[in-house]
Amino acid sequence: MNELHQMNELFDELFPIMRSITGEGVRETIRILQNYMPLEMEGIPTGTEVFDWEIPKEWVIREAWIKDEQGNEIININNLNLHVINYSEPIDQWLSLEELKQHVHTIPHLPDAVPYVISYYKERWGFCMSQSQLDSLSEGTYHVFIDSEKINGELNYAHAILPGKSKKEVLISTYICHPSMANNELSGPIVAAFLYNRIKKWENRELTYRFVFVPETIGSISYLWKYGQHLKEHLYSGAVLTCLGGIEHRLSYKMARNNAAPLNQLVTYLNERENYAMPVRPFTPLYGSDERQYCSPGFNLPVGQFSKMVYGAYPGYHNSLDTKEAMSIESLLESLNEIEQLLKLQELDGYYINLKPFGEPKLGKYDLYPDINTPTIWGRSSNKKIDGRQQLNQILTILNYSDGRHRLADLAKTLNYSLEDYEISLEALKEHQLIEGPFYEERELF
Amino acid sequence: MNELHQMNELFDELFPIMRSITGEGVRETIRILQNYMPLEMEGIPTGTEVFDWEIPKEWVIREAWIKDEQGNEIININNLNLHVINYSEPIDQWLSLEELKQHVHTIPHLPDAVPYVISYYKERWGFCMSQSQLDSLSEGTYHVFIDSEKINGELNYAHAILPGKSKKEVLISTYICHPSMANNELSGPIVAAFLYNRIKKWENRELTYRFVFVPETIGSISYLWKYGQHLKEHLYSGAVLTCLGGIEHRLSYKMARNNAAPLNQLVTYLNERENYAMPVRPFTPLYGSDERQYCSPGFNLPVGQFSKMVYGAYPGYHNSLDTKEAMSIESLLESLNEIEQLLKLQELDGYYINLKPFGEPKLGKYDLYPDINTPTIWGRSSNKKIDGRQQLNQILTILNYSDGRHRLADLAKTLNYSLEDYEISLEALKEHQLIEGPFYEERELF
Amino acid sequence: MNELHQMNELFDELFPIMRSITGEGVRETIRILQNYMPLEMEGIPTGTEVFDWEIPKEWVIREAWIKDEQGNEIININNLNLHVINYSEPIDQWLSLEELKQHVHTIPHLPDAVPYVISYYKERWGFCMSQSQLDSLSEGTYHVFIDSEKINGELNYAHAILPGKSKKEVLISTYICHPSMANNELSGPIVAAFLYNRIKKWENRELTYRFVFVPETIGSISYLWKYGQHLKEHLYSGAVLTCLGGIEHRLSYKMARNNAAPLNQLVTYLNERENYAMPVRPFTPLYGSDERQYCSPGFNLPVGQFSKMVYGAYPGYHNSLDTKEAMSIESLLESLNEIEQLLKLQELDGYYINLKPFGEPKLGKYDLYPDINTPTIWGRSSNKKIDGRQQLNQILTILNYSDGRHRLADLAKTLNYSLEDYEISLEALKEHQLIEGPFYEERELF
């Protein structure tokens, strides 16, 4: 079964689950994902203080509906789990239409959409429906019923590690707390799960990859509370995955707050030098996802964010129009391909060390230099082993700038080859013990 | 009595005094200013070596006039104290018109102006008059008489301190050594005295303000000789005040030599970001006032200079056309207002420290965040307490960048509010112990 | 005898010598140069490992020719020493024309040029001739004869030092390994030898000058093997001299890899500020001469390269068209003048220290300031001793910026005089003990 089919299948398993920031929905989501990757689940008990926050009670929702005087069901969360305010209090009451309207949320300018409304930290009850359905209700009394409960429990998240040669880590973080929405919920976990399996297959993985699935905001804050110190010490790079679907949308990158972040530098380089053209959004703490937490000043981690059909900027954002069809599984596959390719380049784009840095090495010894010099071969200097002048240019450039102070992207600025073209020359030089690397921080040449 | 009247009155008291770099004129000027602010006067004795200079003798001038053969007074310093060369030697002699002309200075291209001429360090005698008066003198002999003396005494200056929460100081320096001129003498001391009284009334004064009144050049060199080490340790910012009058002229700022000087940075920021449009003059050691001394390489203090009708660039510069009317007291009041406003912004524009820097704080606890999230309030996120989305934007920005490495002006670059707009948000965050500051140097977050 | 004649004479002595990277040709070249400067010759024995290289055997070439069946000489190295492949193996054999062609190199697109071909490290034999001569050969058998030998010996190079006040050194390096070519061989050694004699005559030489003559590539690598550590500790600046002839060509500068190199900075400054217009070539490890070795990452010395008719970019490059006439001795004299002038400016362009840095010094004491100040002399402030306002402007600027952090070129940016114009003002300030310098690294003011 190909990836596209598998992604589609995973989507269908995850979509109907009633998720929130705590509770059975999160755990069920993690259990399904565990069929795709070896996620470890952890939990922090209700009432635990995590930084300036406190882990809330778990929200248990069993039933929620509105019926008219005739007992006709107006809405029921069994049909659409957005119909109840997430974290709503219980209620069982008869109301006039006027009273009911005080507790029903709609989106007037999108009359067919049911909004997604949350009230985690303030006690209230309420429903969501489409404006057109609300308009169609006739005068009369209505029976509102919510069977919910808040209980001591825990906040859950899960993670998995793919070790590489270096202990330096790349964080891939996504969230698992929204109920039935496609782009702004499932796109992230699905791409993350399949990205895990792609990277798992890389030969010679240089970096260590950490995949994290958390409820948004309080989940990433909790994860930082638990693993923030480790991340401060080991994190090299990272990105939050969110809203990765969208037909005819382009994958874009939101810069990490710390502009030295490798992905900031790499995407900027590629756009400037190689007409790569991934749209870039500046860092802002005002909107976004968990990069706001990773980039809070106490951590300031090098974590950006990938998004395709960006949150807040499409009609289905936070309402029932956010469907699989509006997002498209094919577009997730495109995002997966682009992100994987960028992470591969990120591995190549390290610091290298010239092991024979005093003068040029005698390249002829390694069959990397022509054994005769005549004016007629000047301009190609090729002796069969070398593919024209190009590999020799790359080799001389790599050797000269492999001083522990220049990244591959720095040295590549002096020639007109794209980053991935250097891989063969780098391998040839490593084979002859002429360079070592990549390393992921500056180092002394000797 | 309003400020304008008081400024006018102070002007009239100070204008007639025969000032020089030493002597009774300086002391009388300081005594009059002491009615407006608690200036402490100090003196350094004649003959003291101050760095590469030596304190000169005091110049005493009692009488100076020219009379014709009939005993008609041609000029007399009782009418205009510019008529004698400042620091002139005594003389009592009869001269032909031709001989007289060797000792009379005029400004040929301004036939009605009497120039201001000084010869502090070379012994000579002489007079100043208008070119038209000189042209009107008929052949004959003239009696020249100067009753002056150079005596051992001292060089005087005065200062006053307004303490703030921080020991870091802001220097306001001006000069008191020119005889009867308005813009290029009295504008500085008058604005300085009233600025003292404005800042004295500020609540929560953060910085300490040092007001210094010195004879130009040798006075500031003497002050640095006495207090230079203290200033090197404590000075945060400063400006020399000179030539602050001028109808239809704009207040401008001459950059401190050290471009990290807070006023350099603030004025540049305001001009770039807020269309503030205060003209900026680059630093130069070639022309100017005492900032040349404060910015000498042994001190390199962060001291710029404010000027409106700039020295050297208006017809009355260093002559009798430099009058109250040509300058206007109203223009001094404008300069006062502008400088005070800029100094207030300078206090706001410090470094702040986020006291809950690990993830975002739970703003809802402090009533700084909406307690419900629905698509229809997205874009305002207001819950009455917050004025639209704007305060929340400011708060999230302040929290994210209050890391001890960003000044307010740095973080303000990411949004479109003017610096002064942040005051309310900063106060709200301080009230809830979410931030502390301002500080006036970079510091570690924790 | 003038320089031009001397240069011409030296050219004619050096041209006929059969040079290679080792052997008698190099030694004879050095012996001739010793008549012009006190060069010390050194040698490294065959077989010595120098970094990644090994010193090869010396190549001895006694005879090399081709004759036809009738015994007519087709080519003979007695006529042109390019006719044999440099480092060719011996041979004595009769060949058909077809077989002969396998061992003859030509330049088809330059039918009258004999190419210069080398095969130092791969054993082969062969000849070089013009394409038109090769085309004119008739069918038949040909006698090829090369009497050569590779013997244990040494690789030679030579150097000479001109000491200055500072132990910091300027390296002038050129090569002596090509046989009879003009621009791409003799231009460098000739200009270097005469530059030595120019700099020897400088009064108050500030820096120490090191002149180095090496076989290209392996010679500079050997020199670095011997003196690299010394150079890392003492080298301030330097340049390789190559291809300095060329009628109607402009002298150009190839940047050192390390852009802090003084000549990089100076040439950039002069081009930006003074319309100096010396063409600049970026650093590259791909082409060039011994700067590739000096700028290898293990050394990264501040060494650029001067060239006029640049290697690879003129028809005579590496062939028999590279003659004295095509290069012109006059053009060498122009290069010599330009390089000497630039090195003089480099000495001036150091860091200076103001010895009276607290406030402005009392310039009047030193007769460097007008003794009267009147509005009419404002704008010239001259009192005979000072040449208009200009010297005073320079003096105030030098004093203000002589803080051990600004080079002369840095402070000169604030005024519009050319660098050399500052020499008189600097001397006047040094004479009065107001400044000291130049120094060639940043230093504390006190």
Side-chain angles (χ1 to χ4, degrees), chain B residues 40-52:
Chain B
E40 274 186 78
M41 180 157 74
E42 299 186 351
I44 300 179
T46 297
T48 310
E49 288 189 13
V50 292
F51 298 128
D52 199 40

Side-chain angles (χ1 to χ4, degrees), chain A residues 177-383:
Chain A
C177 58
H178 298 67
S180 301
M181 287 180 288
N183 187 48
N184 184 25
E185 170 58 24
L186 296 181
S187 69
I190 292 172
V191 171
F194 283 81
L195 183 60
Y196 176 95
N197 287 288
R198 291 271 188 101
I199 295 177
K200 192 179 162 189
K201 294 190 193 106
W202 290 2
E203 293 169 15
N204 295 315
R205 191 166 48 243
E206 300 284 347
L207 292 157
T208 292
Y209 291 80
R210 174 180 293 263
F211 288 79
V212 171
F213 296 73
V214 289
E216 208 174 12
T217 305
I218 192 165
S220 52
I221 289 169
S222 298
Y223 196 82
L224 285 166
W225 181 72
K226 200 80 181 289
Y227 295 101
Q229 193 55 39
H230 174 90
L231 291 177
K232 279 176 92 160
E233 286 162 19
H234 293 87
L235 204 66
Y236 172 67
S237 174
V240 167
L241 305 188
T242 175
C243 297
L244 292 167
I247 300 155
E248 292 181 4
H249 287 76
R250 297 267 296 285
L251 187 70
S252 66
Y253 175 70
K254 178 182 171 180
M255 301 290 252
R257 177 185 187 270
N258 180 349
N259 197 37
L263 285 173
N264 287 26
Q265 295 295 310
L266 182 58
V267 170
T268 302
Y269 173 83
L270 293 171
N271 278 333
E272 282 176 5
R273 300 278 308 181
E274 303 190 7
N275 295 322
Y276 180 77
M278 174 178 279
V280 163
R281 290 166 286 138
F283 175 75
T284 170
L286 306 187
Y287 311 105
S289 181
D290 289 319
E291 74 282 356
R292 288 163 56 174
Q293 310 310 324
Y294 297 122
C295 294
S296 59
F299 294 106
N300 195 27
L301 298 171
V303 176
Q305 179 228 77
F306 288 110
S307 183
K308 198 170 205 166
M309 188 161 63
V310 178
Y311 43 85
Y314 62 101
Y317 178 64
H318 270 204
N319 66 56
S320 59
L321 304 182
D322 190 351
T323 61
K324 178 162 80 169
E325 291 69 30
M327 170 185 89
S328 121
I329 299 294
E330 285 78 4
S331 71
L332 296 191
L333 190 61
E334 291 165 10
S335 293
L336 172 62
N337 288 336
E338 278 196 72
I339 294 168
E340 184 195 18
Q341 174 60 12
L342 202 53
L343 295 179
K344 266 188 187 159
L345 281 184
Q346 178 176 258
E347 291 221 329
L348 204 62
D349 182 27
Y351 297 92
Y352 295 84
I353 292 289
N354 181 336
L355 297 170
K356 302 267 174 85
F358 303 106
E360 290 168 10
K362 190 163 182 317
L363 293 174
K365 291 200 310 197
Y366 314 104
D367 221 358
L368 295 170
Y369 204 80
D371 60 27
I372 187 168
N373 187 357
T374 84
T376 46
I377 67 154
W378 190 87
R380 39 187 188 94
S381 296
S382 171
N383 202 28

Side-chain angles (χ1 to χ4, degrees), chain B residues 181-193:
Chain B
M181 286 180 287
N183 186 47
N184 183 26
E185 169 60 24
L186 296 180
S187 70
I190 292 172
V191 171

Side-chain angles (χ1 to χ4, degrees), chain B residues 240-259:
Chain B
V240 167
L241 304 188
T242 176
C243 297
L244 292 166
I247 300 155
E248 293 182 4
H249 287 75
R250 299 265 296 283
L251 187 69
S252 67
Y253 175 70
K254 177 182 170 181
M255 302 289 251
R257 178 184 187 271
N258 179 350
N259 197 39

Side-chain angles (χ1 to χ4, degrees), chain B residues 11-27:
Chain B
F11 182 95
D12 292 342
E13 285 182 274
L14 292 174
F15 191 75
I17 297 169
M18 173 53 113
R19 274 172 292 268
S20 183
I21 52 171
T22 60
E24 201 46 37
V26 174
R27 287 187 288 268

Side-chain angles (χ1 to χ4, degrees), chain B residues 52-53 257 286 292-293 296 298, chain C residues 356-357 359-360 365 400 403:
Chain B
D52 199 40
W53 300 64
R257 178 184 187 271
L286 305 187
R292 289 164 56 175
Q293 310 310 325
S296 60
Chain C
K356 301 270 174 83
E360 290 169 10
K365 290 200 309 199
N400 192 272
D403 58 0

